[in-house]
Amino acid sequence: MPFKKDVRLLLKPYYLINILLSLSYIVSKRIPFVCHYVFAQAECELDGRETEILFFLMIVIMIRSRKTGSVTMINYLSSSFVYTKVANLILWFYADIRMGILFAIIFILCGLLFPEPTYQGPENVIYLHGASGLQEELQRDTRIIWLVAFYTAWNPACVNFAPIFSECSAEYALDNLKFGKVDIGRYPDAGAKYHVSDASTSKQLPTLILFKEGKEVERRPYADRKGKLVKFLFSLDNIKAAFDLNNLYKDCKKNPLKKKERKSVKAE
């Protein structure tokens, strides 16, 4: 199912255009009639400098994709598009400054006209306002279990994680099992209280914390006994397994909040 979903997403203009831009130089260089027309060369081969740029690009993409926690084909593509397009821009300028300028204009126009598609499916997420907002919700009714995501809007791993968390909330949310999000870039007090760093080099973004009876009982990623952060890949299946969401959902479903109790909570 995830693969089929990724294939459907690839048919959207954003991905098709960015794939074409990312492959534009290599394709132009390797197809004879295009190469002869664009580069006016008898032999259509990559020279040493071009090969070095492409090899360096591959290394950068591999490193950055691992750091952003990319776990699907779409995540890998999204995180690599910027680097591939910049590499193509350098290659086009290296070949011909006029072609470089033309590519730069197309690059900018595509970015303006075709933004990256965002998650459009259902979600049941409550956006919390800082540490005080989260604490207020936790203490409002301690019978409610909360799974809270700590994130920043600028972090690529958080951007990749957003649709996964939304999908998870739509599938599992109940009156006594709620999903929340706190932007620690906007509310740094929440990051400080729950020990989640929002630094640009932070490996804690995003962080998921499970609260029961108003207290933290589980988090991902977490630190081991030596204080070293244990890496966690934020796929839907990994989240379900780490927080035992299937059994948690069943328990909450069997023990719903009583209607009168819910009304009294709202009244407060």
Side-chain angles (χ1 to χ4, degrees):
M1 286 298 292
F3 179 76
K4 291 182 179 179
K5 188 186 294 184
D6 284 353
V7 171
R8 286 197 297 269
L9 282 173
L10 285 176
L11 298 177
K12 293 190 175 183
Y14 169 82
Y15 294 104
L16 291 174
I17 290 171
N18 276 280
I19 289 171
L20 289 174
L21 290 176
S22 299
L23 298 174
S24 62
Y25 191 85
I26 295 177
V27 171
S28 299
K29 195 79 172 183
R30 297 300 297 172
I31 297 177
F33 70 89
V34 177
C35 177
H36 297 325
Y37 179 77
V38 174
F39 300 100
Q41 294 178 349
E43 294 185 3
C44 298
E45 297 288 342
L46 296 171
D47 63 25
R49 181 61 60 85
E50 292 168 338
T51 304
E52 288 175 4
I53 293 172
L54 291 172
F55 185 71
F56 179 72
L57 170 65
M58 289 176 62
I59 295 173
V60 170
I61 291 173
M62 289 173 65
I63 294 173
R64 295 304 302 173
S65 295
R66 288 190 64 185
K67 286 186 176 181
T68 57
S70 302
V71 294
T72 67
M73 177 174 60
I74 291 297
N75 291 156
Y76 277 113
L77 286 174
S78 297
S79 62
S80 66
F81 279 149
V82 172
Y83 307 106
T84 56
K85 288 186 291 187
V86 169
N88 273 268
L89 182 63
I90 295 170
L91 288 168
W92 281 114
F93 268 110
Y94 173 73
D96 188 329
I97 191 171
R98 295 169 299 176
M99 297 301 295
I101 293 171
L102 177 62
F103 184 86
I105 293 171
I106 296 172
F107 185 161
I108 295 169
L109 286 176
C110 289
L112 295 173
L113 298 175
F114 301 100
E116 183 175 358
T118 56
Y119 177 74
Q120 300 295 326
E123 69 169 30
N124 202 334
V125 176
I126 298 171
Y127 291 84
L128 304 163
H129 303 291
S132 58
L134 173 55
Q135 190 62 28
E136 182 181 339
E137 290 295 336
L138 293 175
Q139 297 302 320
R140 191 187 302 276
D141 190 338
T142 55
R143 296 167 302 167
I144 297 175
I145 297 171
W146 282 85
L147 185 60
V148 181
F150 294 78
Y151 74 104
T152 62
W154 51 262
N155 184 272
C158 294
V159 174
N160 290 337
F161 172 64
I164 296 172
F165 192 69
S166 295
E167 186 178 347
C168 195
S169 70
E171 184 176 350
Y172 289 101
L174 296 167
D175 287 338
N176 52 351
L177 176 56
K178 295 187 177 182
F179 291 75
K181 291 183 78 171
V182 182
D183 184 350
I184 62 172
R186 185 177 179 184
Y187 301 105
D189 59 318
K193 181 172 182 177
Y194 293 100
H195 309 290
V196 181
S197 171
D198 65 344
S200 59
T201 56
S202 174
K203 296 181 180 180
Q204 292 180 283
L205 294 172
T207 287
L208 273 181
I209 301 181
L210 183 69
F211 295 93
K212 290 183 179 179
E213 297 181 353
K215 298 178 181 179
E216 177 184 336
V217 295
E218 194 76 59
R219 78 159 61 195
R220 292 292 186 280
Y222 65 92
D224 60 18
R225 292 179 180 179
K226 296 181 180 179
K228 185 178 179 181
L229 204 66
V230 178
K231 189 175 180 180
F232 183 77
L233 292 178
F234 285 92
S235 67
L236 188 59
D237 289 338
N238 285 351
I239 294 169
K240 290 179 181 180
F243 296 98
D244 197 18
L245 285 183
N246 288 324
N247 288 325
L248 199 61
Y249 178 83
K250 289 178 183 177
D251 291 342
C252 291
K253 193 80 171 177
K254 289 179 182 177
N255 302 286
L257 297 179
K258 295 179 181 179
K259 292 183 179 180
K260 289 183 180 180
E261 292 172 337
R262 284 207 303 270
K263 288 180 180 178
S264 64
V265 170
K266 290 181 180 179
E268 290 175 7

